[in-house]
Amino acid sequence: MSKPKGRLARRYRVMWDQNHGFESAHNPPMAPETVAAAHLGFFEGTPVDACAEGIGPDAGYVCAFPSRKTRMEYLVDRYERGAALGDVRYWRHAENLKRTSAAGHDPLALQVEEAHRLGVDFWFRLSMNDWHHVDSTAGTVYRLGGSRFYEERTDLLIGADGAAGWKDHPSLQAPLTWMQDFAHDEVRALRRDIALEVCERYDCAGFLFDFLRVPGYFKFGQERRNAHLLTQMVRETRAGLDEIGRTKGRSLGLAVRLPPTVDGAHRLGVDVEDWIDDHLVDVVVTSPFFAQDTEHDAAEWVPLVKDSPVHLMAAIEEGYLAGHTDGHNRWFYNAPLMTPMSVEMVRALAARHHRAGVDGLYVFNWFGTTPTYDYDLVPALDDIADSERLRYLDKRYLVMRSSESFPNCLDARRDLPLTVTGDPAPLTFDIADDPAGARDLVRSARLLLHVANATVEDELEVRMQGANGSTALQVANPMAPGARQDPLSAWFIYDLRGTPPHAGVNRFTVRARRRNARTAGELPLTVEDAELEIGYEGSRSGRLPPHGATADVPELGLPVS
């Protein structure tokens, strides 16, 4: 069903977020064509229709041009007055900006021009309360990404008293202390005015306010009473963009990146329904924060934009919090760890988002996946843009781990890790595939459980729940007496081809049928990771998790590394 006509000229299949420019990754000086190609060259031939590029590195307080209308600080000015670099990346970044400008080129304009050449809509983005510049323990600005406006106006911070209500969540309390309080007019005005200045200065498609970099805008307990202030800021930005658009003779878009749930947005002080109903925004991105929510469900957002010109996009992050070490064994390298999403995992999330009815997908941090994880997600772009293309491609669905990350807007408690006792405990997968209806095409269907503290004398009972009762699943790779074993954990694999899962919610239960009498009282069995893999005949696969390569189950079509 087509949407009512709005400000956007087209629907975006994939929007790419780049919050830190590649000037940090190139030795200076960069030629103009290198600036253009480094940031956007790899979009050619992909379904990326739009990109949201930072106005500076991790831009919250600095930008890549001299602002004439705000107290955003030009990175080169800050660099030349001797502000702390933090690390060598910021030397490269500042030197590249400085030398490109001295050669008569505007680095951001080069990127905009390249986007136009590729037919990609170019948006700018702003991290609304960024933290990359500040030490959250001492409050010291230790990177070049800070600014005088941040350093000199400590009266604008949420502060220790404002964050004290989060004392039971120290991982949130610490950074929130050093973030700016949006109850202050000056704080909101900085964000509004830089967005307008950028859109006036450059030939861009619009501007994105990233409310997940970093989610926290008011003192504890004041989020709802101050929600009208965020709406006022968005409304004023909208009016300013409309005025600029009238001057330029075309509309300018306003996008927002928000938490994965509507309730999470409300808890931040975001009245997103009003923003949509009043058409203050043109794109709403429902998104995880940093670690991918592997059970992210965008369905509740879809009714909000129904019969509206506002486009809904669901974000997919580059990594997730895993209970394993991804095959990297070091005594100091202990799970849970941030681990790259595999192509199959990305496909599974994309398929669920398409099923929910989103207008497009937003990929976050993928620009940094290769240098961070030595793994490239760009090949997945061709797969995820279209639900029909995804239908018979290999996928991997994951149960989400609990995390204390930003409980002010994220759901902290999830099913994993799961302590296994004598009583059945549930594990649930919501999948977009229908292996039961496509048996001739399914190469493999497997449940994979990563269990800590398992021994050869422990026995699990895993059952698949169905409308007519439950079915006991047989482990395909049981522990063998005398065999070599991972010291601390084991992957147990269950072949589901005989009882294939179906589209929608699939329920399993896990219990300990027998425990090792010596370890049971001290070392609990815990499911650290739970994955459901669907493989199709002829499907292309990306990097498969290493536990699959070592399982001695050849009849399941396991890959061999």
Side-chain angles (χ1 to χ4, degrees), residues 462-466 469-473 496 499-502 506-509:
V462 179
R463 303 187 73 88
M464 186 175 185
Q465 307 300 310
S470 63
T471 302
L473 302 177
L496 303 180
T499 54
H502 56 82
N506 293 263
R507 294 181 172 87
F508 300 84
T509 59

Side-chain angles (χ1 to χ4, degrees), residues 320-338:
Y320 73 106
L321 197 62
H324 59 85
T325 59
D326 204 26
H328 302 287
N329 296 318
R330 304 287 188 275
W331 67 266
F332 53 83
Y333 199 56
N334 299 313
L337 293 169
M338 282 295 293

Side-chain angles (χ1 to χ4, degrees), residues 263-311:
D263 176 66
H266 291 168
R267 284 188 275 149
L268 279 184
V270 171
D271 286 332
V272 63
E273 294 94 336
D274 292 343
W275 299 5
I276 293 171
D277 292 345
D278 293 347
H279 197 188
L280 302 180
V281 297
D282 304 287
V283 177
V284 170
V285 182
T286 169
S287 176
F289 171 73
F290 192 48
Q292 174 65 46
D293 183 339
T294 57
E295 298 177 36
H296 184 194
D297 185 358
E300 66 166 331
W301 293 85
V302 174
L304 301 185
V305 301
K306 185 181 179 182
D307 302 323
S308 163
V310 177
H311 292 240

